Protein backbone atom coordinates (compact mmCIF):
# COMPACT_ATOMS: atom_id res chain seq x y z
CA UNK A 1 0.00 0.00 0.00
CA UNK A 2 2.84 2.39 0.86
CA UNK A 3 4.60 1.50 -2.40
CA UNK A 4 1.45 2.33 -4.37
CA UNK A 5 1.15 5.69 -2.56
CA UNK A 6 4.83 6.40 -3.23
CA UNK A 7 4.46 5.79 -6.98
CA UNK A 8 1.24 7.85 -7.15
CA UNK A 9 3.00 10.84 -5.59
CA UNK A 10 6.22 10.24 -7.58
CA UNK A 11 4.32 10.19 -10.90
CA UNK A 12 2.57 13.46 -9.98
CA UNK A 13 5.97 14.99 -9.17
CA UNK A 14 7.29 13.65 -12.50
CA UNK A 15 4.50 15.40 -14.42
CA UNK A 16 5.27 18.68 -12.64
CA UNK A 17 9.00 18.28 -13.34
CA UNK A 18 8.37 17.67 -17.04
CA UNK A 19 6.16 20.75 -17.25
CA UNK A 20 8.60 22.93 -15.26
CA UNK A 21 11.55 21.59 -17.26
CA UNK A 22 10.00 22.82 -20.52
CA UNK A 23 9.32 26.24 -19.00
CA UNK A 24 12.86 26.55 -17.59
CA UNK A 25 14.35 25.50 -20.95
CA UNK A 26 12.37 28.20 -22.74
CA UNK A 27 13.39 30.91 -20.25
CA UNK A 28 17.09 29.93 -20.18
CA UNK A 29 17.28 29.74 -23.97
CA UNK A 30 15.76 33.23 -24.10
CA UNK A 31 18.66 34.51 -21.93
CA UNK A 32 21.48 32.98 -24.02
CA UNK A 33 21.65 35.50 -26.91
CA UNK A 34 22.22 38.37 -24.44
CA UNK A 35 25.23 36.45 -23.12
CA UNK A 36 26.78 35.96 -26.57
CA UNK A 37 25.56 32.35 -26.72
CA UNK A 38 23.12 32.89 -29.59
CA UNK A 39 23.93 29.53 -31.24
CA UNK A 40 23.60 27.57 -28.01
CA UNK A 41 20.74 25.57 -26.56
CA UNK A 42 19.87 24.35 -23.04
CA UNK A 43 17.59 21.34 -22.52
CA UNK A 44 16.37 19.49 -19.45
CA UNK A 45 16.05 15.71 -19.70
CA UNK A 46 13.88 13.97 -17.12
CA UNK A 47 14.35 10.21 -17.22
CA UNK A 48 11.65 8.25 -15.42
CA UNK A 49 13.34 5.05 -14.25
CA UNK A 50 10.58 3.90 -11.84
CA UNK A 51 13.23 3.24 -9.16
CA UNK A 52 12.33 4.20 -5.61
CA UNK A 53 14.51 6.97 -4.20
CA UNK A 54 14.29 9.85 -1.74
CA UNK A 55 13.90 12.35 -4.61
CA UNK A 56 11.34 10.42 -6.62
CA UNK A 57 11.60 8.21 -9.68
CA UNK A 58 13.35 10.70 -11.95
CA UNK A 59 16.91 11.24 -12.99
CA UNK A 60 17.38 14.83 -14.19
CA UNK A 61 20.16 15.76 -16.61
CA UNK A 62 20.88 19.19 -18.06
CA UNK A 63 22.35 19.15 -21.53
CA UNK A 64 23.62 21.92 -23.78
CA UNK A 65 24.88 22.52 -27.25
CA UNK A 66 27.17 25.47 -27.92
CA UNK A 67 26.90 25.38 -31.73
CA UNK A 68 23.86 24.83 -33.93
CA UNK A 69 25.33 21.73 -35.61
CA UNK A 70 26.70 20.03 -32.49
CA UNK A 71 24.95 17.40 -30.40
CA UNK A 72 23.30 18.01 -27.04
CA UNK A 73 25.47 16.62 -24.25
CA UNK A 74 25.99 17.09 -20.53
CA UNK A 75 27.25 20.53 -19.51
CA UNK A 76 30.42 19.16 -17.91
CA UNK A 77 31.40 17.38 -21.14
CA UNK A 78 30.89 20.28 -23.55
CA UNK A 79 31.37 23.75 -22.19
CA UNK A 80 34.54 25.74 -21.67
CA UNK A 81 35.02 27.69 -18.44
CA UNK A 82 33.68 30.88 -20.01
CA UNK A 83 30.65 29.13 -21.49
CA UNK A 84 29.96 27.36 -18.22
CA UNK A 85 29.94 30.70 -16.35
CA UNK A 86 27.49 32.21 -18.84
CA UNK A 87 25.16 29.20 -18.67
CA UNK A 88 25.34 29.44 -14.85
CA UNK A 89 24.41 33.13 -15.09
CA UNK A 90 21.43 32.34 -17.34
CA UNK A 91 20.26 29.62 -14.94
CA UNK A 92 20.67 31.92 -11.93
CA UNK A 93 18.77 34.74 -13.66
CA UNK A 94 15.86 32.45 -14.55
CA UNK A 95 15.64 30.65 -11.23
CA UNK A 96 15.86 33.86 -9.19
CA UNK A 97 13.19 35.78 -11.13
CA UNK A 98 10.58 35.05 -8.48
CA UNK A 99 12.92 35.94 -5.64
CA UNK A 100 13.49 39.67 -5.01
CA UNK A 101 16.39 39.06 -2.60
CA UNK A 102 20.09 39.65 -3.15
CA UNK A 103 22.10 37.51 -5.56
CA UNK A 104 25.86 36.97 -5.24
CA UNK A 105 27.98 36.03 -8.25
CA UNK A 106 31.54 34.93 -7.53
CA UNK A 107 33.62 35.34 -10.70
CA UNK A 108 30.70 34.53 -13.01
CA UNK A 109 32.83 36.13 -15.74
CA UNK A 110 35.90 33.88 -15.37
CA UNK A 111 37.39 32.70 -18.64
CA UNK A 112 35.85 35.47 -20.73
CA UNK A 113 36.95 38.94 -21.80
CA UNK A 114 36.31 41.76 -24.24
CA UNK A 115 32.86 42.01 -25.78
CA UNK A 116 31.64 38.84 -24.05
CA UNK A 117 32.62 40.21 -20.61
CA UNK A 118 30.88 43.49 -21.49
CA UNK A 119 27.67 41.62 -22.42
CA UNK A 120 27.80 39.66 -19.15
CA UNK A 121 28.28 42.96 -17.30
CA UNK A 122 25.28 44.49 -19.10
CA UNK A 123 23.12 41.49 -18.15
CA UNK A 124 24.22 41.77 -14.52
CA UNK A 125 23.46 45.49 -14.57
CA UNK A 126 19.92 44.86 -15.88
CA UNK A 127 19.43 42.19 -13.24
CA UNK A 128 20.47 44.74 -10.61
CA UNK A 129 17.60 47.05 -11.48
CA UNK A 130 15.13 44.83 -9.61
CA UNK A 131 17.28 43.46 -6.79
CA UNK A 132 20.66 43.79 -5.14
CA UNK A 133 23.37 42.03 -7.16
CA UNK A 134 26.83 41.57 -5.68
CA UNK A 135 29.52 40.56 -8.17
CA UNK A 136 33.05 39.48 -7.29
CA UNK A 137 35.09 40.07 -10.44
CA UNK A 138 38.55 40.60 -11.90
CA UNK A 139 37.06 41.90 -15.15
CA UNK A 140 37.29 45.65 -15.75
CA UNK A 141 34.40 45.42 -18.24
CA UNK A 142 32.12 43.98 -15.56
CA UNK A 143 33.41 46.18 -12.71
CA UNK A 144 32.88 49.35 -14.71
CA UNK A 145 29.15 48.62 -15.05
CA UNK A 146 28.43 48.39 -11.32
CA UNK A 147 26.67 51.13 -9.38
CA UNK A 148 29.13 50.81 -6.50
CA UNK A 149 32.70 49.56 -6.42
CA UNK A 150 34.38 48.00 -3.40
CA UNK A 151 38.04 47.00 -3.39
CA UNK A 152 39.05 43.91 -1.44
CA UNK A 153 42.66 43.69 -0.27
CA UNK A 154 44.30 40.92 1.71
CA UNK A 155 47.33 41.44 3.92
CA UNK A 156 49.35 39.36 6.33
CA UNK A 157 50.67 40.75 9.59
CA UNK A 158 52.30 38.77 12.41
CA UNK A 159 51.24 35.49 10.82
CA UNK A 160 47.60 36.60 10.69
CA UNK A 161 45.59 37.26 7.55
CA UNK A 162 43.48 40.39 7.22
CA UNK A 163 40.88 41.26 4.61
CA UNK A 164 39.92 44.88 4.04
CA UNK A 165 36.88 45.94 2.04
CA UNK A 166 36.64 49.59 1.13
CA UNK A 167 34.13 51.50 -0.96
CA UNK A 168 35.86 53.49 -3.69
CA UNK A 169 35.08 57.08 -4.60
CA UNK A 170 34.74 58.09 -8.27
CA UNK A 171 38.43 58.88 -8.89
CA UNK A 172 39.59 55.83 -6.92
CA UNK A 173 37.23 53.74 -8.99
CA UNK A 174 38.69 55.06 -12.25
CA UNK A 175 42.19 54.27 -10.96
CA UNK A 176 41.18 50.74 -9.91
CA UNK A 177 39.57 49.97 -13.27
CA UNK A 178 42.69 51.35 -14.98
CA UNK A 179 44.82 49.07 -12.80
CA UNK A 180 42.60 46.12 -13.74
CA UNK A 181 43.14 47.02 -17.40
CA UNK A 182 46.91 47.54 -17.34
CA UNK A 183 48.35 45.67 -14.36
CA UNK A 184 50.71 47.12 -11.72
CA UNK A 185 51.67 50.27 -13.61
CA UNK A 186 48.71 52.43 -14.56
CA UNK A 187 49.22 53.96 -18.00
CA UNK A 188 47.57 57.07 -19.42
CA UNK A 189 45.84 54.91 -22.03
CA UNK A 190 44.40 52.70 -19.28
CA UNK A 191 43.16 55.77 -17.39
CA UNK A 192 41.46 57.09 -20.53
CA UNK A 193 39.82 53.71 -21.15
CA UNK A 194 38.70 53.48 -17.51
CA UNK A 195 37.10 56.93 -17.64
CA UNK A 196 35.32 56.01 -20.85
Amino acid sequence: ELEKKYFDVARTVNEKRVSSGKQIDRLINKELPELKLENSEFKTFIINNETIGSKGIDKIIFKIRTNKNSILDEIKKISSGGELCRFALAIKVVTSNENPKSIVFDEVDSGIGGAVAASVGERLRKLGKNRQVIVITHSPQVASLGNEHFKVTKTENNEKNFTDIRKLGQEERVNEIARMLSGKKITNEALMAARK
Side-chain angles (χ1 to χ4, degrees):
E1 189 180 327
L2 286 173
E3 186 177 38
K4 182 187 178 306
K5 283 182 182 177
Y6 171 88
F7 279 109
D8 287 345
V9 171
R11 287 185 186 112
T12 302
V13 170
N14 168 267
E15 289 170 15
K16 290 181 179 181
R17 284 177 171 159
V18 169
S19 173
S20 295
K22 289 176 184 172
Q23 183 179 358
I24 284 174
D25 291 349
R26 184 180 55 76
L27 293 171
I28 289 173
N29 286 314
K30 192 175 165 187
E31 285 290 320
L32 298 179
E34 265 194 80
L35 299 172
K36 301 283 186 211
L37 289 167
E38 49 278 321
N39 294 321
S40 300
E41 181 185 0
F42 178 94
K43 189 164 176 57
T44 305
F45 288 84
I46 299 168
I47 300 153
N48 179 339
N49 58 16
E50 295 287 321
T51 303
I52 293 177
S54 62
K55 296 181 181 169
I57 54 176
D58 302 316
K59 180 178 180 183
I60 301 169
I61 300 170
F62 300 118
K63 292 188 177 185
I64 62 166
R65 89 171 90 226
T66 53
N67 299 302
K68 283 184 179 178
N69 298 326
S70 62
I71 61 164
L72 280 162
D73 207 343
E74 290 183 59
I75 291 176
K76 64 184 177 185
K77 293 181 183 177
I78 287 187
S79 61
S80 69
E83 290 168 335
L84 187 60
C85 288
R86 288 180 282 159
F87 273 101
L89 175 56
I91 292 166
K92 188 86 164 176
V93 166
V94 166
T95 57
S96 66
N97 272 346
E98 300 299 316
N99 188 348
K101 295 181 182 176
S102 300
I103 305 175
V104 178
F105 292 100
D106 187 3
E107 296 189 37
V108 71
D109 52 1
S110 85
I112 59 172
V116 174
S119 69
V120 167
E122 288 290 348
R123 186 62 189 100
L124 290 165
R125 185 179 197 153
K126 284 183 191 172
L127 189 59
K129 287 182 179 177
N130 301 326
R131 63 181 58 92
Q132 182 183 41
V133 175
I134 299 168
V135 180
I136 294 99
T137 183
H138 294 282
S139 166
Q141 292 92 339
V142 173
S144 68
L145 292 166
N147 292 332
E148 306 287 343
H149 193 143
F150 293 82
K151 183 176 181 180
V152 179
T153 51
K154 295 180 182 181
T155 55
E156 190 180 305
N157 190 354
N158 297 331
E159 298 181 12
K160 287 188 177 182
N161 296 324
F162 296 94
T163 303
D164 181 52
I165 302 173
R166 191 169 56 85
K167 183 177 176 181
L168 301 180
Q170 185 57 34
E171 198 55 37
E172 292 174 305
R173 185 175 181 184
V174 168
N175 286 330
E176 180 60 18
I177 291 170
R179 187 200 59 76
M180 293 169 83
L181 286 165
S182 65
K184 272 187 176 180
K185 186 178 180 198
I186 298 173
T187 64
N188 287 332
E189 294 80 12
L191 278 169
M192 287 168 52
R195 282 192 181 94
K196 186 177 178 186

